[in-house]
Amino acid sequence: MNEQMEDIGPGEGIRLAGVADAEVMARLFVQLGYGDEPGRLVADLLAMEPGRQVLVSENLHGVTGGLVLHLLRPLHLAPGWALISALVVDEEARGQGWGAALLAAAEQVAREAGCGQIELSSSPHRERAHHFYQQQGYREKPTRFVKSLLSQ
């Protein structure tokens, strides 16, 4: 994927996140209800985990949103699939098309990687997000089992 993926307008677009984006990504994650850890985010962005891409949307005023995409190659399935582990648009930029642009960019990356599907999860209380995902062509598949390994 090239660094500047999709142009929305002059000075606007979707690109790969860099270390300099860690602080704003931490602020965006706080808007989703996750901890504010810019130090850890810098380390993770520097680590460049294989199969993970972090995309950001931006306009002339700065970063408007972010998306974390994981490309998976399960041994038992072909083709692979993509998993979006986080998608957030800044509260002040919502409703302007940034979420749809980030999803479209992630789908493009997944297709180019040979993935046959893309999935994401969303907390039950995020009803507006659920409606948005359905508008983007995502369908609910409710069976999912999760076990925390941190509390044992």
Side-chain angles (χ1 to χ4, degrees):
M1 180 189 83
N2 56 15
E3 189 163 318
Q4 181 71 29
M5 291 188 48
E6 181 176 329
D7 287 328
I8 310 297
E12 300 181 334
I14 308 294
R15 64 173 172 79
L16 288 173
V19 174
D21 297 309
E23 190 171 319
V24 71
M25 291 295 293
R27 183 179 51 78
L28 290 171
F29 288 148
V30 167
Q31 290 182 17
L32 284 180
Y34 298 107
D36 177 10
E37 305 174 60
R40 185 190 57 79
L41 287 175
V42 168
D44 283 353
L45 286 169
L46 282 171
M48 301 301 288
E49 178 183 319
R52 180 185 67 203
Q53 295 193 22
V54 181
L55 308 175
V56 293
S57 56
E58 65 182 347
N59 63 19
L60 294 172
H61 305 289
V63 171
T64 59
L67 181 147
V68 182
L69 177 69
H70 305 268
L71 303 173
L72 307 169
R73 290 275 177 210
L75 187 60
H76 65 289
L77 292 174
W81 75 70
L83 170 70
I84 296 170
S85 63
L87 169 60
V88 59
V89 174
D90 190 286
E91 292 167 343
E92 302 207 4
R94 291 181 186 158
Q96 299 174 18
W98 295 111
L102 283 162
L103 282 178
E107 292 165 10
Q108 175 186 335
V109 170
R111 278 190 204 92
E112 289 173 0
C115 294
Q117 73 178 37
I118 189 167
E119 67 179 66
L120 54 84
S121 61
S122 181
S123 295
H125 69 277
R126 299 187 195 279
E127 293 180 16
R128 288 182 57 205
H130 301 172
H131 181 70
F132 166 74
Y133 294 134
Q134 290 172 339
Q135 287 180 317
Q136 302 306 310
Y138 289 74
R139 299 293 166 246
E140 185 176 1
K141 288 193 167 189
T143 304
R144 187 171 166 238
F145 299 93
V146 178
K147 179 179 183 179
S148 175
L149 301 176
L150 299 176
S151 62
Q152 297 179 359

